[in-house]
Amino acid sequence: MSNAVRLLQHALTIVEERGQSYGDAATLFNQIAKRWSLTLGVQVSAEEVVLCMLDLKLARLSNDPTHSDSMVDVAGYAAVLADITKQSGGAHGR
């Protein structure tokens, strides 16, 4: 089995565990978006929250491209983004 497949399988396990711990990803990221909107004073969508979390992980990877936990997190957030955009029609109605 390739490293890529192992990484994706690990990301799937993490996404499933987080779902059990925190509930539906769309609901959670919508709650985070509401909080960030209040904090920042601008409207933030669930998709934008996920994109910001991806940016955080990518910034960390730019400092250490071999950090496997960050790679797994990027894959997991990408999967969550796919689910959220499918449910909502996208941040901009796409």
Side-chain angles (χ1 to χ4, degrees), residues 1-83:
M1 180 182 317
S2 74
N3 286 339
V5 170
R6 278 194 290 276
L7 182 141
L8 291 171
Q9 287 177 336
H10 184 57
L12 174 61
T13 299
I14 298 294
V15 169
E16 289 172 341
E17 288 173 358
R18 295 301 183 266
Q20 291 172 358
S21 296
Y22 303 119
D24 176 64
T27 301
L28 175 64
F29 281 91
N30 275 307
Q31 291 171 345
I32 295 167
K34 287 177 186 176
R35 296 177 65 87
W36 286 13
S37 294
L38 290 171
T39 300
L40 298 171
V42 296
Q43 190 65 33
V44 178
S45 70
E47 295 90 344
E48 290 167 327
V49 171
V50 179
L51 290 171
C52 287
M53 296 305 295
L54 277 163
D55 278 341
L56 170 74
K57 296 301 178 173
L58 292 172
R60 288 180 176 174
L61 280 169
S62 72
N63 288 316
D64 181 2
T66 66
H67 194 259
S68 62
D69 284 346
S70 290
M71 289 182 221
V72 169
D73 289 344
V74 166
Y77 281 125
V80 167
L81 183 61
D83 280 349

